[in-house]
Structures are given as C-alpha cells and as structure tokens.
Amino acid sequence: MRSASRLASVLGVASLVLVAAACGGDDDADTSDTTAEEETVDEEPTDDGDETTDDGDEATTEDTTADDSASSDAVIRLATNQLPASKGNPFNSVGSPGIYTLAAIYDPVTFVSTDGEIKPWLATSWENTSETTWNFVLRDDVQFSNGETLDAEGLASVINFIVTDEAAAGSAVARDLANIASATAVDTYTVEVTTATPDPILPAKMTEIYVPAPGVLADAGLEEITENPVGSGPFMVTSWDAGTIELAAFTDSWRAPLVGGLEIQELAEPAARVQALQAGQVDLATGISPDLVDTLGDAASADVVTANQVMSLAFNTEMADSPVADPMVRQALNYAIDRQAIVDALLLGQGSAAGQGPTPNATGYNPDIDAFGYDPELAQQMLADAGYPDGLSFTADVVVGSFPADAEIYQLAQQNLADIGVDVELNQITFPDWLERYLGGTFDAGMFGLSWNALPTMDSGRVMTNFSCLKSNPFFCDQEQADALEAALPTIDPAERTAALQDVTAMMHDNPPALYLVQQIDVNGVSSEIGNFVNDNRFFNYDEMTK
C-alpha cells in the first residue's frame, strides 16, 4: 500500500494539469452562498429532507433579554473567504460561507445539529397532525431588532412569502420548500403548515428558514430586508461595506450575546486569514488550510471537526461516448484510490475514507458499507475485463478552494488513476461556469467535482436525488436506483424511510454514480482570547462566545 508519506511526496513532483479559465473558488452566482461544488446548489425542489421528529422538547436556551446582557464591550472579529453575495437575503443561502453571517443576524425555525438531532429553536415543538399538515408551536419571547415580536401570523406570512412571492421564487430555500402549499396561524403561537404531498421530514427542512422581521418583509419586500437586514439573532447590522460587516449586540434578542459587537471581514485567501489571526487582527478565521495549522503559534489554535460532507467526482455517464458508462469501469476507478493515505497526508488524519455519499450522522447512511479498498491490481484487471487493457483517458472539471486541501486531493487521485493507466486531465473552472454546466446538464467531461452535502437538514434524500435520474438534466441515470429512491422519499414512518434510503445507498455503492473520495473536515482558526467557540454544522454559537 502506498504510504501517506509517499503520497505526500507526490505533491512536489506530480504535474497537476489545471487548464484554468480563471481561478476558481467559493463563488455564489446569485443562486446560493454555498461553496463551490456543494450539493446545496441543487436546482430541484424535492419532497425529501431530514428524518422525522414527531415533536420537540421545550427550548433549552435561557431568555437573556436584559439590557445589560452584553457583559463586555469587546468585538469579535471574524475573517471568512466570502461575504454573502446576496447580502442580507436570508432565503438565498443554505450553506457556507453565507451561514457565518446569517447565524449572527437571524434565527431558524428549527435547528439540526451535527449529530442529526432536530432541536427546538424559534419553534419549541411540532406535531404531524395529518399526512400533509404539521403544527409548529413558537417561543413567546422572540423580538426583532426593530421592535417587532414574532407570533404565528408573522411566521405564516414569512413562509407564504417564500413559497409564493416572485422575489423569492428562484432562491435556494424556496426550491427546497416547494412542497409547502400554505401556512396559517392556528392560534397566537401555533402555525399549521400544509404540504402538497406527504413530507415526513418537514421539521428538518424548517432549519432552512431564517426568519426576518415579518412586518418589514410584508411592507417593504425582500429588497429592503436584503439591503437592511432585520432579524432576531444576537447581533444587528450597523454597516455593510464591500469587504466588512459591522454588527452591534442586540441585547433584547432571546439569545443576547456576551460581547458588544461582531465584525465579519472578507479575506479570500486562506493564508491571508491565517496571517490576520497570527497578527491579532482577527479572532476567528474560517476555512484554514490543514497545512497551515502548525503555523498558528501560541496565540491561536485550530478547531477541527469532521464535516457532514463527502468529497467526490461525479461520473458523467449521460454525455455522448462517455468513458465511464460501463459500471465495471466506475468500480475499477473507485478501487484505484488510496483514500486513507489522502486522509493521513492531507486532512490531519481526521477525515475518513468514503464508500458512500451519506455521512454517519445523516439519514440514509448504511453502516454495512465499507469504503472501496485500495487495490490497483484489481482495478487494472477490471479495466481489462471491461475492454480497456491499455487504460483510458478523459477530462475532469473541478473548482478548487472549496474544501480543505481539495487541489491536492484531486492531484493525488489523478496520480492514483495514472498508476492504473487512466490519464485524467484536471480542468479547473470557475464556480459560475461549474454551476451553469451543472444546472444545464452540459458537462462534456467524464467526471466533475460534486460533493454529497447532508447540510443543513442531515438527510441524504436530496443529495441522492442529485446523483440519480430524478435530477433534471441528469448526469447519471440508473433507473432501478431512481425508482427505489422515489419510493423511499415520501415514506412517513422514520424507520421504514431510513431503511429504504439505506438500500438505495447500497445500490449506489455497487453501481457508483461517483468516484467517492473522503469525508471532509472543517478547520477554523480560533484566537486564544475567544472562549466557548462551537462549530455545530457550520453554525457558530455567537451568543455564547466570550472575549
């Protein structure tokens, strides 16, 4: 087996062919603030989401609305790779880096934690009252930074705006909630949500609704909220410039902060964020490159967690004369990758080898499936049996800068494939170019970068849909898989639904729609002056941090 040190040395000598139209990265393209190649840019409304919870417990967060709740005048300064391109629009961002800003300003209806648990947030409990209706009971102490309070009428108006207003129609959240038919107030703090078809995981989907002040949204529209955000979160915006957002403590928030302010800066390059952290210019830095962790010194440390996201290269079997149309070829390529060496050499030993798209805490994960073993001899034999004794060659379109060490991971995968006679040219493209090809189904490469992202709902149904015939303009189509997935998605019983999705996961391992690589990691730099930092599914606990 190739050792981690041997693979690491490849970085210095292997040629990474990057036919770059421009430097890629974490672009937004006005459809989602999700980082490049994340699953959450999906254009399809689907009737799936997260595992079902019949009801919720009482919210555990204490009411801290006292005027003196900000115990410090300190300002926490955060550096991230990109500010939300859609500014304060809470409906156009379901992933990072937009979440780092939204979590400071707004609150979601529910919150799905990294372990997959659906937790009370603005809603304290929920109940499935019929196949197509859910009741959500709200907190009674939620105030917005303009003085409005939240009640059932307000939340119902926000939900109805998302699913009916033309201004929100193209947003990522509206697409994911397209199965909602309407929302109505049952009483002062109870909202009934009606869906067009049974939606067993609607409580998990509600984690995507970051609620702006309902009165502002109704009276002035989404444009006003976008330009002048008004939320119930721990901070309120005081200025928003091209590269910096300044926020002050909102002391009447139900989760009022312990510091006086927050400043969010855009620093595109990981090295620049690390330098700012080292110099004491910022207190938090998102997306630190693993190879820079050892340079942080004594003034800061790295917070490293396993992400609920699997990095992969999607197989484009629907293109003309696809080089990966044969299932045996796709299996052979999967046996060619030394995933554990990638984890050890490039991901601080804290990622994991992947043999399926769902991650362990996500609905649909199948514990009986192992990662493909590293077996180049078997891979070569399978290629020969498939009619490629001399190997083959094709192109892979990738965007780099989206994940820790992604360029190096692609490079090592390229080298692994070269070892079995498969010549892959890595073609670097920008995120807007990638998005256009993804939505339009116009990739002309044999593979392209596409991750399996369980966030924010921690349900794998949507991302599995992306890798199936159910996606519009599909790049991969196994009809048996698609039929099984379509039957599983609306299943009401949680155990039955989980088992059905696990069966589909097994099918997607045996006839893989992707070259599975690794379960990724999140690496954030944290100053020694910051206390109580928690990264829970990329949602930062701004209200509990100290400085």
Side-chain angles (χ1 to χ4, degrees):
M1 181 185 233
R2 186 189 303 268
S3 68
S5 59
R6 166 71 179 96
L7 273 182
S9 70
V10 172
L11 292 174
V13 297
S15 172
L16 174 60
V17 182
L18 292 177
V19 184
C23 180
D26 298 333
D27 256 318
D28 180 283
D30 290 331
T31 58
S32 164
D33 291 315
T34 310
T35 52
E37 302 181 29
E38 286 194 2
E39 167 274 327
T40 42
V41 299
D42 175 29
E43 83 286 7
E44 303 211 34
T46 61
D47 296 337
D48 62 289
D50 253 41
E51 60 184 300
T52 307
T53 298
D54 289 334
D55 53 29
D57 298 326
E58 291 300 313
T60 56
T61 304
E62 295 294 329
D63 182 3
T64 54
T65 58
D67 288 342
D68 61 351
S69 59
S71 60
S72 169
D73 292 331
V75 175
I76 294 176
R77 299 158 302 169
L78 178 143
T80 188
N81 62 305
Q82 181 184 351
L83 301 183
S86 51
K87 208 168 180 181
N89 182 346
F91 310 138
N92 214 35
S93 175
V94 293
S96 60
I99 186 64
Y100 304 135
T101 298
L102 296 185
I105 304 171
Y106 301 110
D107 285 300
V109 179
T110 62
F111 179 72
V112 183
S113 63
T114 192
D115 60 5
E117 180 184 357
I118 308 173
K119 295 184 176 182
W121 210 261
L122 292 182
T124 60
S125 64
W126 43 91
E127 180 184 7
N128 191 193
T129 55
S130 78
E131 282 194 349
T132 57
T133 55
W134 288 84
N135 280 358
F136 293 85
V137 178
L138 305 180
R139 297 178 63 96
D140 61 4
D141 59 352
V142 178
Q143 181 174 322
F144 295 89
S145 58
N146 68 340
E148 286 186 50
T149 56
L150 180 66
D151 59 15
E153 290 281 359
L155 179 59
S157 71
V158 170
I159 295 172
N160 289 326
F161 181 95
I162 293 172
V163 298
T164 63
D165 196 277
E166 290 184 3
S171 70
V173 174
R175 291 193 299 269
D176 285 348
L177 299 179
N179 192 39
I180 293 179
S182 64
T184 57
V186 176
D187 57 38
T188 305
Y189 294 108
T190 304
V191 179
E192 180 182 78
V193 179
T194 302
T195 58
T197 60
D199 200 337
I201 40 68
L202 184 64
K205 287 183 179 180
M206 299 296 275
T207 195
E208 298 190 41
I209 301 180
Y210 281 73
V211 181
V216 177
L217 185 64
D219 295 340
L222 186 57
E223 183 177 353
E224 175 63 20
I225 285 291
T226 298
E227 293 301 315
N228 300 290
V230 181
S232 60
F235 293 98
M236 50 188 177
V237 175
T238 57
S239 69
W240 193 313
D241 298 325
T244 304
I245 308 171
E246 294 183 354
L247 306 98
F250 174 35
T251 57
D252 288 325
S253 170
W254 68 279
R255 55 185 188 104
L258 302 176
V259 297
L262 175 67
E263 181 180 283
I264 304 175
Q265 304 175 28
E266 179 175 313
L267 291 175
E269 297 301 322
R273 296 195 292 275
V274 169
Q275 290 169 2
L277 188 62
Q278 292 169 326
Q281 297 169 347
V282 300
D283 306 300
L284 300 170
T286 68
I288 298 298
S289 298
D291 61 344
L292 295 176
V293 166
D294 289 340
T295 70
L296 291 177
D298 296 333
S301 60
D303 179 83
V304 184
V305 297
T306 303
N308 285 298
Q309 189 164 3
V310 167
M311 186 175 174
S312 78
L313 286 162
F315 289 128
N316 188 7
T317 64
E318 299 304 288
M319 65 180 286
D321 301 319
S322 172
V324 292
D326 190 328
M328 187 174 292
V329 170
R330 299 196 296 275
Q331 287 184 335
L333 300 185
N334 269 288
Y335 281 113
I337 305 300
D338 192 350
R339 296 168 178 81
Q340 190 58 50
I342 291 175
V343 168
D344 293 339
L346 297 175
L347 298 180
L348 306 173
Q350 297 194 45
S352 62
Q356 58 183 299
T359 53
N361 290 332
T363 304
Y365 175 78
N366 191 325
D368 297 328
I369 295 175
D370 294 325
F372 286 90
Y374 175 52
D375 195 335
E377 291 78 15
L378 175 60
Q380 287 179 308
Q381 184 59 54
M382 294 180 74
L383 284 179
D385 292 344
Y388 297 97
D390 300 320
L392 68 159
S393 61
F394 55 87
T395 300
D397 288 341
V398 298
V399 178
V400 300
S402 302
F403 309 106
D406 55 3
E408 294 85 353
I409 291 172
Y410 288 137
Q411 181 175 347
L412 294 183
Q414 178 190 42
Q415 181 61 48
N416 283 160
L417 295 175
D419 291 343
I420 64 166
V422 177
D423 180 18
V424 176
E425 177 185 10
L426 294 176
N427 178 38
Q428 182 180 329
I429 60 176
T430 65
F431 178 68
D433 287 341
W434 178 93
L435 184 63
E436 180 180 359
R437 298 177 195 186
Y438 175 78
L439 297 180
T442 58
F443 280 105
D444 58 3
M447 298 190 300
F448 62 92
L450 179 63
S451 77
W452 301 69
N453 187 3
L455 302 181
T457 61
M458 292 300 292
D459 185 273
S460 299
R462 179 181 60 181
V463 65
M464 294 168 80
T465 298
N466 293 348
F467 285 84
S468 78
C469 318
L470 301 181
K471 176 187 178 296
S472 50
N473 301 314
F475 54 84
F476 176 89
C477 185
D478 178 318
Q479 195 59 53
E480 183 181 2
Q481 292 180 11
D483 291 345
L485 178 59
E486 191 170 31
L489 294 178
T491 303
I492 295 293
D493 182 84
E496 291 181 9
R497 185 175 185 277
T498 296
L501 288 177
Q502 288 175 336
D503 289 343
V504 178
T505 299
M507 297 167 70
M508 288 184 162
H509 173 85
D510 296 339
N511 184 18
L515 181 64
Y516 300 109
L517 295 173
V518 291
Q519 183 177 356
Q520 264 286 357
I521 59 175
D522 286 338
V523 187
N524 297 300
V526 183
S527 166
S528 58
E529 294 186 2
I530 298 298
N532 302 331
F533 172 82
V534 175
N535 169 19
D536 193 350
N537 265 352
R538 297 173 183 162
F539 186 100
F540 292 173
N541 62 329
Y542 291 119
D543 54 312
E544 297 174 330
M545 292 186 206
T546 61
K547 180 179 178 182

